[in-house]
Amino acid sequence: MKCQQCEKPATFHITELTGEKPHELHLCEQCAQSYLTQNPSGGMPIQPSLAGMLHHQLKVADTAKELAKLDEQVCPICGISFYEFRNQGRLGCPHDYTCFGSELDPLIVNIHGDTQHSGKHPKHHHQSSQDQTRLIQLHNDMKAAIEKEDYERASQIRDEIRKIEEGES
């Protein structure tokens, strides 16, 4: 997709929700930087706009390069990339909190106000995060064995998954 202001490739996709209808903008890095720092009245903004805060927080000039590098980061347990997380909004396994920790902490603090859970826990929940991680890894191994048509290995992995799942009941 091309930038709406020039002919460069659009790397920033901004949706403004200030009017009655959402307004989408597709901009290159330079046009996005000037858009995010602009003030409709021409002077310094009296109240920081959402776009201005976004610019301040993300430091647009470096963001595209850093984001591209981040997007390549992959969890060794479940195989989800940071790019997939950004698009889906879901993590793949408990290990992702460790793998993407430095990127997730500010996001979690912004959303929840803290990085530690302070509410109730389910009474029926007995599975440890270590078991969850192991199950995810085993499911991925089983899929790989099936793709290689190694059905004997896949059935061994299936049995191991059942033992872990039965142990939590």
Side-chain angles (χ1 to χ4, degrees), residues 122-135:
K123 293 177 185 175
H124 65 279
H125 183 67
H126 299 289
Q127 190 179 48
S128 71
S129 64
Q130 197 171 21
D131 285 342
Q132 288 175 339
T133 302
R134 181 73 178 133
L135 280 172

Side-chain angles (χ1 to χ4, degrees), residues 70 73-76 80-82 85 91 93-110 114-116:
L70 255 177
Q73 197 173 352
V74 176
C75 173
I80 192 171
S81 68
F82 194 74
F85 162 69
L91 294 171
C93 72
H95 182 71
D96 291 343
Y97 288 98
T98 305
C99 186
F100 305 127
S102 60
E103 294 80 26
L104 292 176
D105 281 347
L107 181 64
I108 292 170
V109 168
N110 189 27
D114 199 357
T115 57
Q116 295 295 316

Side-chain angles (χ1 to χ4, degrees), residues 77-79 92-95 131-141:
I77 305 296
C78 67
C93 72
H95 182 71
D131 285 342
Q132 288 175 339
T133 302
R134 181 73 178 133
L135 280 172
I136 291 167
Q137 196 168 23
L138 287 171
H139 279 286
N140 288 340
D141 291 348

Side-chain angles (χ1 to χ4, degrees), residues 49-70:
S49 68
L50 180 59
M53 288 188 292
L54 180 65
H55 168 71
H56 177 71
Q57 194 170 17
L58 296 180
K59 298 177 186 169
V60 176
D62 299 328
T63 301
K65 293 173 191 166
E66 291 173 10
L67 198 53
K69 192 184 294 183
L70 255 177

